[in-house]
Amino acid sequence: PPCTDDNNGVTGSTQTVTLTGVTPPAATLSTNTVNFGNQGVATVSSASKVTLTNPGGSTLHITSAAIGGTNATDFAIATTGTTCTNGSTVAPNATCDINLTFTPAAVGPRGTATLTITDDASPTTTQTVSLSGTGIDFTIAVPTPPAPATAGQPITATIQISLATGTTFPNAVTFSASNLPPNTTASLAPPSVTPGASVVTTTLTLTTAANSSGNPRPSRPAHGPLSGGGLPRPYRLYWRC
């Protein structure tokens, strides 16, 4: 700014000083809350992205990005797609991303955990994001074991899918059977169910070819790996979500 004085005896003389400075780095986040919603227990969610922007006038230096708080181990920073890493920098008006995933360890609400980014931004050197989600699960049982049958006659078993208390399961559960003996077929009706918030069932039917000797051979179901028993031991039932 100019300064007025009487330099050299001249009233009204002006002197000027040029002032310069550097605008410090800053940091803003695309969101401060990530809720992953429902996710199957022990399964990994799709990634949710948080973008950090530096609207300041100088380079932002990121010291660390870490997750802490309640159920912190259920949440993770994904390696793929994450560019806001420890020791990284963000140029003025540039951005970097953090991809987050959720793998619930138990049924029910999980979190709230906190993602904390530490840097040299002004006016605050920490930025935080709240992380939460809900773990969901289901159980499978055969409440009524199927009756014995002879070769050539079908065996049916009703399979019951129940939700963990207080949860909903919006994803489809698809069934298949394998490890069947020769001349045996398996069908499931319906082959895929969506539990939602209630108990649902599917019916497994096992059919074997008749004994070629003409002597019926009883086929007594043995307790299998599912709760409730009733599936013949050689058979294996698989499900996926």
Side-chain angles (χ1 to χ4, degrees), residues 33 58 92 103 111 132 202 223:
T33 303
S58 55
T103 309
S132 61
T202 184
H223 289 288

PDB file of all heavy atoms in Angstrom, residues 33 58 92 103 111 132 202 223:
ATOM      1  N   THR A  33     -20.240 -38.650   5.641  1.00  0.00           N
ATOM      2  CA  THR A  33     -20.931 -39.835   6.153  1.00  0.00           C
ATOM      3  C   THR A  33     -21.054 -40.876   5.049  1.00  0.00           C
ATOM      4  O   THR A  33     -21.473 -40.553   3.934  1.00  0.00           O
ATOM      5  CB  THR A  33     -22.344 -39.474   6.663  1.00  0.00           C
ATOM      6  OG1 THR A  33     -22.248 -38.466   7.659  1.00  0.00           O
ATOM      7  CG2 THR A  33     -23.024 -40.697   7.258  1.00  0.00           C
ATOM      8  N   SER A  58      -1.786 -23.748  -2.324  1.00  0.00           N
ATOM      9  CA  SER A  58      -0.510 -24.465  -2.303  1.00  0.00           C
ATOM     10  C   SER A  58      -0.765 -25.956  -2.103  1.00  0.00           C
ATOM     11  O   SER A  58      -1.889 -26.381  -1.806  1.00  0.00           O
ATOM     12  CB  SER A  58       0.406 -23.919  -1.198  1.00  0.00           C
ATOM     13  OG  SER A  58      -0.237 -23.956   0.057  1.00  0.00           O
ATOM     14  N   PRO A  92      -2.961 -27.689  -5.785  1.00  0.00           N
ATOM     15  CA  PRO A  92      -4.090 -26.761  -5.698  1.00  0.00           C
ATOM     16  C   PRO A  92      -5.154 -27.081  -6.752  1.00  0.00           C
ATOM     17  O   PRO A  92      -4.841 -27.342  -7.911  1.00  0.00           O
ATOM     18  CB  PRO A  92      -3.439 -25.395  -5.944  1.00  0.00           C
ATOM     19  CG  PRO A  92      -2.029 -25.574  -5.483  1.00  0.00           C
ATOM     20  CD  PRO A  92      -1.669 -26.971  -5.854  1.00  0.00           C
ATOM     21  N   THR A 103     -17.112 -55.045   5.593  1.00  0.00           N
ATOM     22  CA  THR A 103     -17.206 -56.496   5.757  1.00  0.00           C
ATOM     23  C   THR A 103     -17.680 -56.769   7.180  1.00  0.00           C
ATOM     24  O   THR A 103     -16.871 -56.896   8.107  1.00  0.00           O
ATOM     25  CB  THR A 103     -15.849 -57.183   5.524  1.00  0.00           C
ATOM     26  OG1 THR A 103     -15.296 -56.751   4.276  1.00  0.00           O
ATOM     27  CG2 THR A 103     -15.989 -58.698   5.506  1.00  0.00           C
ATOM     28  N   GLY A 111     -20.553 -50.129  13.620  1.00  0.00           N
ATOM     29  CA  GLY A 111     -20.061 -48.756  13.686  1.00  0.00           C
ATOM     30  C   GLY A 111     -20.761 -48.045  14.841  1.00  0.00           C
ATOM     31  O   GLY A 111     -21.426 -48.662  15.666  1.00  0.00           O
ATOM     32  N   SER A 132     -20.740 -46.478   8.758  1.00  0.00           N
ATOM     33  CA  SER A 132     -21.682 -47.375   9.407  1.00  0.00           C
ATOM     34  C   SER A 132     -22.264 -48.343   8.391  1.00  0.00           C
ATOM     35  O   SER A 132     -22.118 -48.169   7.178  1.00  0.00           O
ATOM     36  CB  SER A 132     -22.811 -46.581  10.090  1.00  0.00           C
ATOM     37  OG  SER A 132     -23.521 -45.820   9.132  1.00  0.00           O
ATOM     38  N   THR A 202     -37.903 -73.620   0.233  1.00  0.00           N
ATOM     39  CA  THR A 202     -37.748 -74.236  -1.080  1.00  0.00           C
ATOM     40  C   THR A 202     -37.806 -75.743  -0.870  1.00  0.00           C
ATOM     41  O   THR A 202     -37.495 -76.246   0.220  1.00  0.00           O
ATOM     42  CB  THR A 202     -36.425 -73.820  -1.742  1.00  0.00           C
ATOM     43  OG1 THR A 202     -36.357 -74.361  -3.071  1.00  0.00           O
ATOM     44  CG2 THR A 202     -35.220 -74.340  -0.974  1.00  0.00           C
ATOM     45  N   HIS A 223     -29.013 -88.223   8.704  1.00  0.00           N
ATOM     46  CA  HIS A 223     -28.834 -86.825   9.069  1.00  0.00           C
ATOM     47  C   HIS A 223     -27.681 -86.225   8.285  1.00  0.00           C
ATOM     48  O   HIS A 223     -26.578 -86.765   8.265  1.00  0.00           O
ATOM     49  CB  HIS A 223     -28.584 -86.701  10.573  1.00  0.00           C
ATOM     50  CG  HIS A 223     -29.806 -86.999  11.384  1.00  0.00           C
ATOM     51  ND1 HIS A 223     -30.883 -86.159  11.452  1.00  0.00           N
ATOM     52  CD2 HIS A 223     -30.120 -88.089  12.136  1.00  0.00           C
ATOM     53  CE1 HIS A 223     -31.805 -86.687  12.232  1.00  0.00           C
ATOM     54  NE2 HIS A 223     -31.376 -87.860  12.658  1.00  0.00           N
TER      55      HIS A 223
END
